[in-house]
Amino acid sequence: MSTTATAGTRPDDVRRHNRAALLRRLHVDGPATRAKLASTLGLNRSTIKALVDGLAEDGVVEERVPVQRSGAGRPSLLVLPQPQAAVVLAVDIRVERVAMALVGIGGAILARGSWNAREGRREPAEVFTKIVDTAGPLIDELAVRPVAVGVSVPGVVRHSDGFVHEAPNLHWSDVPLGGWLSRALEVNVHMGNDAELGALAEHLRGAARGADDIVYIGADVGVGGGVISNGVSMRGAGGHHIGEVGHMVVRPGGLPCYCGSYGCWETEVGERALCRALDLDENSPVGAIVAELRSARTLSAPERLGEFAEWLAIGLSNVVNLLCPKLVVLGDLFTALPPALVADLERTVRERSLVSRALGGTRVVTSALGPDAKLLGAAELAFETVLSAW
Amino acid sequence: MSTTATAGTRPDDVRRHNRAALLRRLHVDGPATRAKLASTLGLNRSTIKALVDGLAEDGVVEERVPVQRSGAGRPSLLVLPQPQAAVVLAVDIRVERVAMALVGIGGAILARGSWNAREGRREPAEVFTKIVDTAGPLIDELAVRPVAVGVSVPGVVRHSDGFVHEAPNLHWSDVPLGGWLSRALEVNVHMGNDAELGALAEHLRGAARGADDIVYIGADVGVGGGVISNGVSMRGAGGHHIGEVGHMVVRPGGLPCYCGSYGCWETEVGERALCRALDLDENSPVGAIVAELRSARTLSAPERLGEFAEWLAIGLSNVVNLLCPKLVVLGDLFTALPPALVADLERTVRERSLVSRALGGTRVVTSALGPDAKLLGAAELAFETVLSAW
């Protein structure tokens, strides 16, 4: 019997464990032949057949003869997860916008909704009501009830019950949003810090696939960090996320921050600082900032970002020294940073950080999932428990 | 059968697992009655008896009738670990001094040696030779050969083979000290970053006993951090330690640091900065600095540390935001900081760090092990593999 099968000791436990591993493999890596599943999971073909047959009976997977045959002999059947067999509701709460989606097994977005949260429409009670009001039509459209809900919040969140301790840029504190949502939607709600979920999504489906020690840095109004260590979300005391990098003081005596401190990294490299660096109005919409970052003026002369780039390098060197990642993924607005500037950043971090030097350099890349990273991360947080308990 | 016993599936595995758990319990928490061992390990009395009898036969534990009887009936025998039954050699390499010790089961220091490493006597080859030369007499004195060696180095160390990538304050880079020592001493050598090992020791035997999410900050010439998360040393890419806090830039454009950067935290709060704050010569010996910190002048007016205290607070708030500890232990020179200043620091961190606020405050305390923290941590690193493979 394989190592995969030894976690449980009773036959029922073993079967449940193997079924969860199979489902997770299909969810994260997509369709695969029975032969491939057998080899990657270290299980024999008859075990795989029994598991797949069971899942097919439940409508969770479908089998097909593959189009391309891999050699002589009878082709191994291709096993495809059925997205609608298990759907989660994902919610990404941001300062400027709330996005929602129904996401199926395999990570496909099956339905979307969003609204502008500017103009004072981000009081906790209003956001809560709007989430519930938006969920209804989405569920009706797809005619599938979500089996769990995942929510991304730009703040410090208690995992156990989705209690938002503090979300400075939303001006929220002590908001029991997880409890409200689970009662209203009558389904399990899992909540996490936005950058932590960005890290999870990039690790599973984005720029950090295959990398096990990463830091994700997301920037819109706020700047946040999330850490995956040895393939797992790194957590600190009380299960809270590790890497509240936006509120690291890099410029003592600098600008005041919503968090109550001064000279935080996010006051130097967040959305407003980026606007200043680009000579844009500080309240410019995200689209205008991205357009300017991708304009010929910035692409051909990334040095016009001047001091902004220097603060980015200082903060990122600190992050690498403290959190020891092999790869840094820059997300949200940073996704649009000029490639030449990102390459410079990678070089500077390697020069300045002794941890990066010890690692033979830390790669710095931009997000592959862009504005969807946190939404997809929220979906993955919800899927974690769903798939393991299938 | 208890949960403790289910990690292995064959009777041999179970016995080995339980024996390691029992030995670890005695090593970390000291002597205990058979009854107490049975209840804390979740094993029945006959299993405990068999295990203890086996260990007693090997001379690893001794049994005695306890002096204080806990009630009526036959007293439960007290099981005592025998320090000399397994001895490790611990080495703490610092900029100013190298300390060595033979440490027995239970954590007792059985023999010590040390030498001054100032005055150009800290080239890698010289330190290596001196360690080997000092080990001989120590081993002869005790007449027990160490079963493993643990070494603490103030730098970035590869765990797998004890390769020192960089130790800026020693001016070391790319030193394969682990390989040299294991060949010369003919025993397994385990090496770690000094602050990581300080964290381990304080967690097991010092100020952080019972706390599972901690950061240890050690300061002599350099400043370093080590992190225990959920009771385990937190590691990043390549198994390197997390928390190279001394080289976090807190004062951009500040003093140059040995690491090649400017305005690192250690240039603002390390030994030299502390000397400046105390109006001492920058090359004052450690004893003089500690005496001045504990003098009536500093104790009655901790505000004389002025700017130094502010840099300490800024850096510590960053550390708490990024690493999310419930408890911070200040070690080495910081052990002597005035209690009023430490209390102020705890208050300031709570005010400024939103992570600390979310945790209901992060406690800040001084080390219980002082200058022995890293030496004892090196011993514990060596014991980890010894005890689990007993």
Side-chain angles (χ1 to χ4, degrees), chain A residues 166 229 235 237 243 247 249 259 318 321-322 324 357, chain B residues 166 229 235 237 243 247 249 259 318 322 324 357:
Chain A
E166 219 172 318
S229 175
R235 302 253 169 95
H247 301 288
V249 174
C259 81
N318 285 356
N321 272 339
L322 266 78
C324 196
R357 289 196 297 267
Chain B
E166 218 172 321
S229 174
R235 302 252 169 93
H247 301 288
V249 174
C259 81
N318 285 356
L322 265 76
C324 197
R357 290 197 296 267

mmCIF file with all atom_site columns, all heavy atoms in Angstrom, chain A residues 166 229 235 237 243 247 249 259 318 321-322 324 357, chain B residues 166 229 235 237 243 247 249 259 318 322 324 357:
data_model
loop_
_atom_site.group_PDB
_atom_site.id
_atom_site.type_symbol
_atom_site.label_atom_id
_atom_site.label_alt_id
_atom_site.label_comp_id
_atom_site.label_asym_id
_atom_site.label_entity_id
_atom_site.label_seq_id
_atom_site.pdbx_PDB_ins_code
_atom_site.Cartn_x
_atom_site.Cartn_y
_atom_site.Cartn_z
_atom_site.occupancy
_atom_site.B_iso_or_equiv
_atom_site.pdbx_formal_charge
_atom_site.auth_seq_id
_atom_site.auth_comp_id
_atom_site.auth_asym_id
_atom_site.auth_atom_id
_atom_site.pdbx_PDB_model_num
ATOM 1   N N   . GLU A 1 166 ? -9.531 44.299 12.605 1.00 0.00 ? 166 GLU A N   1
ATOM 2   C CA  . GLU A 1 166 ? -9.253 45.635 12.135 1.00 0.00 ? 166 GLU A CA  1
ATOM 3   C C   . GLU A 1 166 ? -8.992 45.587 10.630 1.00 0.00 ? 166 GLU A C   1
ATOM 4   O O   . GLU A 1 166 ? -8.228 44.743 10.167 1.00 0.00 ? 166 GLU A O   1
ATOM 5   C CB  . GLU A 1 166 ? -8.006 46.177 12.851 1.00 0.00 ? 166 GLU A CB  1
ATOM 6   C CG  . GLU A 1 166 ? -8.086 47.618 13.229 1.00 0.00 ? 166 GLU A CG  1
ATOM 7   C CD  . GLU A 1 166 ? -6.914 48.067 14.095 1.00 0.00 ? 166 GLU A CD  1
ATOM 8   O OE1 . GLU A 1 166 ? -6.515 47.315 15.016 1.00 0.00 ? 166 GLU A OE1 1
ATOM 9   O OE2 . GLU A 1 166 ? -6.411 49.150 13.849 1.00 0.00 ? 166 GLU A OE2 1
ATOM 10  N N   . SER A 1 229 ? 4.784  28.885 3.141  1.00 0.00 ? 229 SER A N   1
ATOM 11  C CA  . SER A 1 229 ? 6.056  28.285 3.529  1.00 0.00 ? 229 SER A CA  1
ATOM 12  C C   . SER A 1 229 ? 5.929  26.774 3.431  1.00 0.00 ? 229 SER A C   1
ATOM 13  O O   . SER A 1 229 ? 5.001  26.192 4.000  1.00 0.00 ? 229 SER A O   1
ATOM 14  C CB  . SER A 1 229 ? 6.397  28.705 4.954  1.00 0.00 ? 229 SER A CB  1
ATOM 15  O OG  . SER A 1 229 ? 7.557  28.049 5.379  1.00 0.00 ? 229 SER A OG  1
ATOM 16  N N   . ARG A 1 235 ? 1.030  30.823 9.374  1.00 0.00 ? 235 ARG A N   1
ATOM 17  C CA  . ARG A 1 235 ? 0.176  31.508 10.341 1.00 0.00 ? 235 ARG A CA  1
ATOM 18  C C   . ARG A 1 235 ? 0.934  31.793 11.627 1.00 0.00 ? 235 ARG A C   1
ATOM 19  O O   . ARG A 1 235 ? 1.839  31.047 12.005 1.00 0.00 ? 235 ARG A O   1
ATOM 20  C CB  . ARG A 1 235 ? -1.040 30.632 10.675 1.00 0.00 ? 235 ARG A CB  1
ATOM 21  C CG  . ARG A 1 235 ? -1.881 30.272 9.449  1.00 0.00 ? 235 ARG A CG  1
ATOM 22  C CD  . ARG A 1 235 ? -3.184 31.030 9.430  1.00 0.00 ? 235 ARG A CD  1
ATOM 23  N NE  . ARG A 1 235 ? -3.858 30.883 8.146  1.00 0.00 ? 235 ARG A NE  1
ATOM 24  C CZ  . ARG A 1 235 ? -4.802 29.959 7.898  1.00 0.00 ? 235 ARG A CZ  1
ATOM 25  N NH1 . ARG A 1 235 ? -5.159 29.121 8.834  1.00 0.00 ? 235 ARG A NH1 1
ATOM 26  N NH2 . ARG A 1 235 ? -5.376 29.903 6.718  1.00 0.00 ? 235 ARG A NH2 1
ATOM 27  N N   . ALA A 1 237 ? 0.333  33.725 15.799 1.00 0.00 ? 237 ALA A N   1
ATOM 28  C CA  . ALA A 1 237 ? -0.482 33.542 16.999 1.00 0.00 ? 237 ALA A CA  1
ATOM 29  C C   . ALA A 1 237 ? -1.966 33.626 16.669 1.00 0.00 ? 237 ALA A C   1
ATOM 30  O O   . ALA A 1 237 ? -2.396 34.445 15.855 1.00 0.00 ? 237 ALA A O   1
ATOM 31  C CB  . ALA A 1 237 ? -0.115 34.606 18.036 1.00 0.00 ? 237 ALA A CB  1
ATOM 32  N N   . GLY A 1 243 ? 2.677  38.382 7.941  1.00 0.00 ? 243 GLY A N   1
ATOM 33  C CA  . GLY A 1 243 ? 3.098  39.272 6.857  1.00 0.00 ? 243 GLY A CA  1
ATOM 34  C C   . GLY A 1 243 ? 2.276  40.536 6.686  1.00 0.00 ? 243 GLY A C   1
ATOM 35  O O   . GLY A 1 243 ? 1.941  40.905 5.563  1.00 0.00 ? 243 GLY A O   1
ATOM 36  N N   . HIS A 1 247 ? 2.124  47.722 7.009  1.00 0.00 ? 247 HIS A N   1
ATOM 37  C CA  . HIS A 1 247 ? 2.257  48.582 8.178  1.00 0.00 ? 247 HIS A CA  1
ATOM 38  C C   . HIS A 1 247 ? 3.623  48.456 8.841  1.00 0.00 ? 247 HIS A C   1
ATOM 39  O O   . HIS A 1 247 ? 3.802  48.780 10.012 1.00 0.00 ? 247 HIS A O   1
ATOM 40  C CB  . HIS A 1 247 ? 1.090  48.347 9.133  1.00 0.00 ? 247 HIS A CB  1
ATOM 41  C CG  . HIS A 1 247 ? -0.207 48.644 8.445  1.00 0.00 ? 247 HIS A CG  1
ATOM 42  N ND1 . HIS A 1 247 ? -0.595 49.919 8.150  1.00 0.00 ? 247 HIS A ND1 1
ATOM 43  C CD2 . HIS A 1 247 ? -1.134 47.826 7.888  1.00 0.00 ? 247 HIS A CD2 1
ATOM 44  C CE1 . HIS A 1 247 ? -1.745 49.887 7.471  1.00 0.00 ? 247 HIS A CE1 1
ATOM 45  N NE2 . HIS A 1 247 ? -2.085 48.627 7.295  1.00 0.00 ? 247 HIS A NE2 1
ATOM 46  N N   . VAL A 1 249 ? 6.992  50.078 9.297  1.00 0.00 ? 249 VAL A N   1
ATOM 47  C CA  . VAL A 1 249 ? 7.477  51.461 9.174  1.00 0.00 ? 249 VAL A CA  1
ATOM 48  C C   . VAL A 1 249 ? 8.806  51.452 8.416  1.00 0.00 ? 249 VAL A C   1
ATOM 49  O O   . VAL A 1 249 ? 9.751  50.788 8.837  1.00 0.00 ? 249 VAL A O   1
ATOM 50  C CB  . VAL A 1 249 ? 7.673  52.105 10.569 1.00 0.00 ? 249 VAL A CB  1
ATOM 51  C CG1 . VAL A 1 249 ? 8.306  53.485 10.443 1.00 0.00 ? 249 VAL A CG1 1
ATOM 52  C CG2 . VAL A 1 249 ? 6.343  52.190 11.295 1.00 0.00 ? 249 VAL A CG2 1
ATOM 53  N N   . CYS A 1 259 ? -3.544 53.208 9.991  1.00 0.00 ? 259 CYS A N   1
ATOM 54  C CA  . CYS A 1 259 ? -3.378 52.246 11.084 1.00 0.00 ? 259 CYS A CA  1
ATOM 55  C C   . CYS A 1 259 ? -3.008 52.942 12.390 1.00 0.00 ? 259 CYS A C   1
ATOM 56  O O   . CYS A 1 259 ? -2.954 52.307 13.435 1.00 0.00 ? 259 CYS A O   1
ATOM 57  C CB  . CYS A 1 259 ? -2.330 51.193 10.731 1.00 0.00 ? 259 CYS A CB  1
ATOM 58  S SG  . CYS A 1 259 ? -0.627 51.738 10.981 1.00 0.00 ? 259 CYS A SG  1
ATOM 59  N N   . ASN A 1 318 ? 13.488 44.219 3.107  1.00 0.00 ? 318 ASN A N   1
ATOM 60  C CA  . ASN A 1 318 ? 13.105 43.879 4.484  1.00 0.00 ? 318 ASN A CA  1
ATOM 61  C C   . ASN A 1 318 ? 12.236 42.624 4.514  1.00 0.00 ? 318 ASN A C   1
ATOM 62  O O   . ASN A 1 318 ? 12.437 41.724 5.336  1.00 0.00 ? 318 ASN A O   1
ATOM 63  C CB  . ASN A 1 318 ? 12.318 45.032 5.120  1.00 0.00 ? 318 ASN A CB  1
ATOM 64  C CG  . ASN A 1 318 ? 13.207 46.193 5.518  1.00 0.00 ? 318 ASN A CG  1
ATOM 65  O OD1 . ASN A 1 318 ? 14.424 46.119 5.396  1.00 0.00 ? 318 ASN A OD1 1
ATOM 66  N ND2 . ASN A 1 318 ? 12.602 47.267 5.989  1.00 0.00 ? 318 ASN A ND2 1
ATOM 67  N N   . ASN A 1 321 ? 14.329 39.587 3.925  1.00 0.00 ? 321 ASN A N   1
ATOM 68  C CA  . ASN A 1 321 ? 15.145 39.271 5.099  1.00 0.00 ? 321 ASN A CA  1
ATOM 69  C C   . ASN A 1 321 ? 14.313 38.633 6.210  1.00 0.00 ? 321 ASN A C   1
ATOM 70  O O   . ASN A 1 321 ? 14.749 37.705 6.874  1.00 0.00 ? 321 ASN A O   1
ATOM 71  C CB  . ASN A 1 321 ? 15.836 40.528 5.636  1.00 0.00 ? 321 ASN A CB  1
ATOM 72  C CG  . ASN A 1 321 ? 17.183 40.772 4.976  1.00 0.00 ? 321 ASN A CG  1
ATOM 73  O OD1 . ASN A 1 321 ? 17.794 39.859 4.420  1.00 0.00 ? 321 ASN A OD1 1
ATOM 74  N ND2 . ASN A 1 321 ? 17.637 42.005 5.019  1.00 0.00 ? 321 ASN A ND2 1
ATOM 75  N N   . LEU A 1 322 ? 13.105 39.146 6.409  1.00 0.00 ? 322 LEU A N   1
ATOM 76  C CA  . LEU A 1 322 ? 12.304 38.632 7.525  1.00 0.00 ? 322 LEU A CA  1
ATOM 77  C C   . LEU A 1 322 ? 11.575 37.338 7.189  1.00 0.00 ? 322 LEU A C   1
ATOM 78  O O   . LEU A 1 322 ? 11.343 36.528 8.077  1.00 0.00 ? 322 LEU A O   1
ATOM 79  C CB  . LEU A 1 322 ? 11.296 39.680 8.024  1.00 0.00 ? 322 LEU A CB  1
ATOM 80  C CG  . LEU A 1 322 ? 11.838 40.504 9.202  1.00 0.00 ? 322 LEU A CG  1
ATOM 81  C CD1 . LEU A 1 322 ? 12.801 41.554 8.747  1.00 0.00 ? 322 LEU A CD1 1
ATOM 82  C CD2 . LEU A 1 322 ? 10.710 41.106 10.015 1.00 0.00 ? 322 LEU A CD2 1
ATOM 83  N N   . CYS A 1 324 ? 12.105 35.179 4.200  1.00 0.00 ? 324 CYS A N   1
ATOM 84  C CA  . CYS A 1 324 ? 12.909 34.157 3.518  1.00 0.00 ? 324 CYS A CA  1
ATOM 85  C C   . CYS A 1 324 ? 12.189 33.416 2.382  1.00 0.00 ? 324 CYS A C   1
ATOM 86  O O   . CYS A 1 324 ? 12.159 32.186 2.360  1.00 0.00 ? 324 CYS A O   1
ATOM 87  C CB  . CYS A 1 324 ? 13.428 33.164 4.560  1.00 0.00 ? 324 CYS A CB  1
ATOM 88  S SG  . CYS A 1 324 ? 14.768 32.112 3.994  1.00 0.00 ? 324 CYS A SG  1
ATOM 89  N N   . ARG A 1 357 ? 20.773 36.710 -0.915 1.00 0.00 ? 357 ARG A N   1
ATOM 90  C CA  . ARG A 1 357 ? 22.071 36.236 -1.401 1.00 0.00 ? 357 ARG A CA  1
ATOM 91  C C   . ARG A 1 357 ? 22.304 34.777 -1.012 1.00 0.00 ? 357 ARG A C   1
ATOM 92  O O   . ARG A 1 357 ? 22.771 33.975 -1.816 1.00 0.00 ? 357 ARG A O   1
ATOM 93  C CB  . ARG A 1 357 ? 23.205 37.104 -0.816 1.00 0.00 ? 357 ARG A CB  1
ATOM 94  C CG  . ARG A 1 357 ? 23.260 38.509 -1.393 1.00 0.00 ? 357 ARG A CG  1
ATOM 95  C CD  . ARG A 1 357 ? 24.604 39.182 -1.102 1.00 0.00 ? 357 ARG A CD  1
ATOM 96  N NE  . ARG A 1 357 ? 24.906 39.396 0.294  1.00 0.00 ? 357 ARG A NE  1
ATOM 97  C CZ  . ARG A 1 357 ? 24.647 40.508 0.991  1.00 0.00 ? 357 ARG A CZ  1
ATOM 98  N NH1 . ARG A 1 357 ? 24.021 41.527 0.418  1.00 0.00 ? 357 ARG A NH1 1
ATOM 99  N NH2 . ARG A 1 357 ? 24.991 40.611 2.254  1.00 0.00 ? 357 ARG A NH2 1
ATOM 100 N N   . GLU B 1 166 ? 26.584 33.334 5.110  1.00 0.00 ? 166 GLU B N   1
ATOM 101 C CA  . GLU B 1 166 ? 27.089 34.654 5.417  1.00 0.00 ? 166 GLU B CA  1
ATOM 102 C C   . GLU B 1 166 ? 26.881 34.925 6.906  1.00 0.00 ? 166 GLU B C   1
ATOM 103 O O   . GLU B 1 166 ? 25.796 34.695 7.440  1.00 0.00 ? 166 GLU B O   1
ATOM 104 C CB  . GLU B 1 166 ? 26.304 35.685 4.593  1.00 0.00 ? 166 GLU B CB  1
ATOM 105 C CG  . GLU B 1 166 ? 27.133 36.824 4.088  1.00 0.00 ? 166 GLU B CG  1
ATOM 106 C CD  . GLU B 1 166 ? 26.355 37.709 3.111  1.00 0.00 ? 166 GLU B CD  1
ATOM 107 O OE1 . GLU B 1 166 ? 25.583 37.210 2.277  1.00 0.00 ? 166 GLU B OE1 1
ATOM 108 O OE2 . GLU B 1 166 ? 26.527 38.928 3.224  1.00 0.00 ? 166 GLU B OE2 1
ATOM 109 N N   . SER B 1 229 ? 6.572  29.148 15.769 1.00 0.00 ? 229 SER B N   1
ATOM 110 C CA  . SER B 1 229 ? 5.162  29.296 15.417 1.00 0.00 ? 229 SER B CA  1
ATOM 111 C C   . SER B 1 229 ? 4.463  27.974 15.679 1.00 0.00 ? 229 SER B C   1
ATOM 112 O O   . SER B 1 229 ? 4.905  26.934 15.194 1.00 0.00 ? 229 SER B O   1
ATOM 113 C CB  . SER B 1 229 ? 5.050  29.677 13.942 1.00 0.00 ? 229 SER B CB  1
ATOM 114 O OG  . SER B 1 229 ? 3.708  29.692 13.549 1.00 0.00 ? 229 SER B OG  1
ATOM 115 N N   . ARG B 1 235 ? 10.559 28.068 9.471  1.00 0.00 ? 235 ARG B N   1
ATOM 116 C CA  . ARG B 1 235 ? 11.610 28.068 8.462  1.00 0.00 ? 235 ARG B CA  1
ATOM 117 C C   . ARG B 1 235 ? 11.088 28.566 7.119  1.00 0.00 ? 235 ARG B C   1
ATOM 118 O O   . ARG B 1 235 ? 9.918  28.382 6.800  1.00 0.00 ? 235 ARG B O   1
ATOM 119 C CB  . ARG B 1 235 ? 12.164 26.648 8.281  1.00 0.00 ? 235 ARG B CB  1
ATOM 120 C CG  . ARG B 1 235 ? 12.713 26.045 9.572  1.00 0.00 ? 235 ARG B CG  1
ATOM 121 C CD  . ARG B 1 235 ? 14.238 25.975 9.538  1.00 0.00 ? 235 ARG B CD  1
ATOM 122 N NE  . ARG B 1 235 ? 14.781 25.641 10.844 1.00 0.00 ? 235 ARG B NE  1
ATOM 123 C CZ  . ARG B 1 235 ? 15.060 24.390 11.234 1.00 0.00 ? 235 ARG B CZ  1
ATOM 124 N NH1 . ARG B 1 235 ? 14.866 23.384 10.411 1.00 0.00 ? 235 ARG B NH1 1
ATOM 125 N NH2 . ARG B 1 235 ? 15.561 24.165 12.437 1.00 0.00 ? 235 ARG B NH2 1
ATOM 126 N N   . ALA B 1 237 ? 12.490 29.378 2.779  1.00 0.00 ? 237 ALA B N   1
ATOM 127 C CA  . ALA B 1 237 ? 13.042 28.653 1.633  1.00 0.00 ? 237 ALA B CA  1
ATOM 128 C C   . ALA B 1 237 ? 14.357 27.976 2.018  1.00 0.00 ? 237 ALA B C   1
ATOM 129 O O   . ALA B 1 237 ? 15.168 28.539 2.749  1.00 0.00 ? 237 ALA B O   1
ATOM 130 C CB  . ALA B 1 237 ? 13.258 29.612 0.463  1.00 0.00 ? 237 ALA B CB  1
ATOM 131 N N   . GLY B 1 243 ? 13.259 35.441 9.981  1.00 0.00 ? 243 GLY B N   1
ATOM 132 C CA  . GLY B 1 243 ? 13.415 36.529 10.944 1.00 0.00 ? 243 GLY B CA  1
ATOM 133 C C   . GLY B 1 243 ? 14.792 37.156 11.005 1.00 0.00 ? 243 GLY B C   1
ATOM 134 O O   . GLY B 1 243 ? 15.306 37.412 12.092 1.00 0.00 ? 243 GLY B O   1
ATOM 135 N N   . HIS B 1 247 ? 18.770 43.067 9.880  1.00 0.00 ? 247 HIS B N   1
ATOM 136 C CA  . HIS B 1 247 ? 19.076 43.729 8.616  1.00 0.00 ? 247 HIS B CA  1
ATOM 137 C C   . HIS B 1 247 ? 17.826 44.281 7.936  1.00 0.00 ? 247 HIS B C   1
ATOM 138 O O   . HIS B 1 247 ? 17.792 44.502 6.727  1.00 0.00 ? 247 HIS B O   1
ATOM 139 C CB  . HIS B 1 247 ? 19.904 42.802 7.730  1.00 0.00 ? 247 HIS B CB  1
ATOM 140 C CG  . HIS B 1 247 ? 21.175 42.421 8.410  1.00 0.00 ? 247 HIS B CG  1
ATOM 141 N ND1 . HIS B 1 247 ? 22.205 43.314 8.578  1.00 0.00 ? 247 HIS B ND1 1
ATOM 142 C CD2 . HIS B 1 247 ? 21.541 41.301 9.084  1.00 0.00 ? 247 HIS B CD2 1
ATOM 143 C CE1 . HIS B 1 247 ? 23.176 42.749 9.285  1.00 0.00 ? 247 HIS B CE1 1
ATOM 144 N NE2 . HIS B 1 247 ? 22.797 41.519 9.618  1.00 0.00 ? 247 HIS B NE2 1
ATOM 145 N N   . VAL B 1 249 ? 15.842 47.389 7.185  1.00 0.00 ? 249 VAL B N   1
ATOM 146 C CA  . VAL B 1 249 ? 16.174 48.818 7.126  1.00 0.00 ? 249 VAL B CA  1
ATOM 147 C C   . VAL B 1 249 ? 15.062 49.605 7.833  1.00 0.00 ? 249 VAL B C   1
ATOM 148 O O   . VAL B 1 249 ? 13.890 49.506 7.473  1.00 0.00 ? 249 VAL B O   1
ATOM 149 C CB  . VAL B 1 249 ? 16.295 49.295 5.661  1.00 0.00 ? 249 VAL B CB  1
ATOM 150 C CG1 . VAL B 1 249 ? 16.495 50.806 5.600  1.00 0.00 ? 249 VAL B CG1 1
ATOM 151 C CG2 . VAL B 1 249 ? 17.443 48.575 4.969  1.00 0.00 ? 249 VAL B CG2 1
ATOM 152 N N   . CYS B 1 259 ? 26.377 44.289 6.456  1.00 0.00 ? 259 CYS B N   1
ATOM 153 C CA  . CYS B 1 259 ? 25.676 43.449 5.475  1.00 0.00 ? 259 CYS B CA  1
ATOM 154 C C   . CYS B 1 259 ? 25.701 44.091 4.092  1.00 0.00 ? 259 CYS B C   1
ATOM 155 O O   . CYS B 1 259 ? 25.290 43.481 3.119  1.00 0.00 ? 259 CYS B O   1
ATOM 156 C CB  . CYS B 1 259 ? 24.246 43.168 5.910  1.00 0.00 ? 259 CYS B CB  1
ATOM 157 S SG  . CYS B 1 259 ? 23.077 44.493 5.548  1.00 0.00 ? 259 CYS B SG  1
ATOM 158 N N   . ASN B 1 318 ? 7.413  46.639 13.777 1.00 0.00 ? 318 ASN B N   1
ATOM 159 C CA  . ASN B 1 318 ? 7.507  45.989 12.455 1.00 0.00 ? 318 ASN B CA  1
ATOM 160 C C   . ASN B 1 318 ? 7.576  44.474 12.598 1.00 0.00 ? 318 ASN B C   1
ATOM 161 O O   . ASN B 1 318 ? 6.899  43.737 11.879 1.00 0.00 ? 318 ASN B O   1
ATOM 162 C CB  . ASN B 1 318 ? 8.769  46.475 11.724 1.00 0.00 ? 318 ASN B CB  1
ATOM 163 C CG  . ASN B 1 318 ? 8.623  47.879 11.167 1.00 0.00 ? 318 ASN B CG  1
ATOM 164 O OD1 . ASN B 1 318 ? 7.556  48.486 11.262 1.00 0.00 ? 318 ASN B OD1 1
ATOM 165 N ND2 . ASN B 1 318 ? 9.693  48.400 10.590 1.00 0.00 ? 318 ASN B ND2 1
ATOM 166 N N   . LEU B 1 322 ? 4.912  41.811 11.086 1.00 0.00 ? 322 LEU B N   1
ATOM 167 C CA  . LEU B 1 322 ? 5.277  40.824 10.064 1.00 0.00 ? 322 LEU B CA  1
ATOM 168 C C   . LEU B 1 322 ? 5.219  39.385 10.566 1.00 0.00 ? 322 LEU B C   1
ATOM 169 O O   . LEU B 1 322 ? 4.960  38.488 9.786  1.00 0.00 ? 322 LEU B O   1
ATOM 170 C CB  . LEU B 1 322 ? 6.672  41.120 9.492  1.00 0.00 ? 322 LEU B CB  1
ATOM 171 C CG  . LEU B 1 322 ? 6.619  41.942 8.198  1.00 0.00 ? 322 LEU B CG  1
ATOM 172 C CD1 . LEU B 1 322 ? 6.325  43.385 8.482  1.00 0.00 ? 322 LEU B CD1 1
ATOM 173 C CD2 . LEU B 1 322 ? 7.884  41.785 7.392  1.00 0.00 ? 322 LEU B CD2 1
ATOM 174 N N   . CYS B 1 324 ? 3.724  38.220 13.757 1.00 0.00 ? 324 CYS B N   1
ATOM 175 C CA  . CYS B 1 324 ? 2.529  37.870 14.528 1.00 0.00 ? 324 CYS B CA  1
ATOM 176 C C   . CYS B 1 324 ? 2.785  36.998 15.766 1.00 0.00 ? 324 CYS B C   1
ATOM 177 O O   . CYS B 1 324 ? 2.158  35.953 15.932 1.00 0.00 ? 324 CYS B O   1
ATOM 178 C CB  . CYS B 1 324 ? 1.530  37.177 13.593 1.00 0.00 ? 324 CYS B CB  1
ATOM 179 S SG  . CYS B 1 324 ? -0.166 37.112 14.214 1.00 0.00 ? 324 CYS B SG  1
ATOM 180 N N   . ARG B 1 357 ? -2.620 44.712 18.380 1.00 0.00 ? 357 ARG B N   1
ATOM 181 C CA  . ARG B 1 357 ? -3.964 45.073 18.867 1.00 0.00 ? 357 ARG B CA  1
ATOM 182 C C   . ARG B 1 357 ? -4.942 43.923 18.640 1.00 0.00 ? 357 ARG B C   1
ATOM 183 O O   . ARG B 1 357 ? -5.744 43.581 19.504 1.00 0.00 ? 357 ARG B O   1
ATOM 184 C CB  . ARG B 1 357 ? -4.475 46.333 18.153 1.00 0.00 ? 357 ARG B CB  1
ATOM 185 C CG  . ARG B 1 357 ? -3.744 47.606 18.533 1.00 0.00 ? 357 ARG B CG  1
ATOM 186 C CD  . ARG B 1 357 ? -4.531 48.853 18.127 1.00 0.00 ? 357 ARG B CD  1
ATOM 187 N NE  . ARG B 1 357 ? -4.709 49.022 16.704 1.00 0.00 ? 357 ARG B NE  1
ATOM 188 C CZ  . ARG B 1 357 ? -3.900 49.728 15.896 1.00 0.00 ? 357 ARG B CZ  1
ATOM 189 N NH1 . ARG B 1 357 ? -2.818 50.314 16.385 1.00 0.00 ? 357 ARG B NH1 1
ATOM 190 N NH2 . ARG B 1 357 ? -4.162 49.848 14.612 1.00 0.00 ? 357 ARG B NH2 1
#
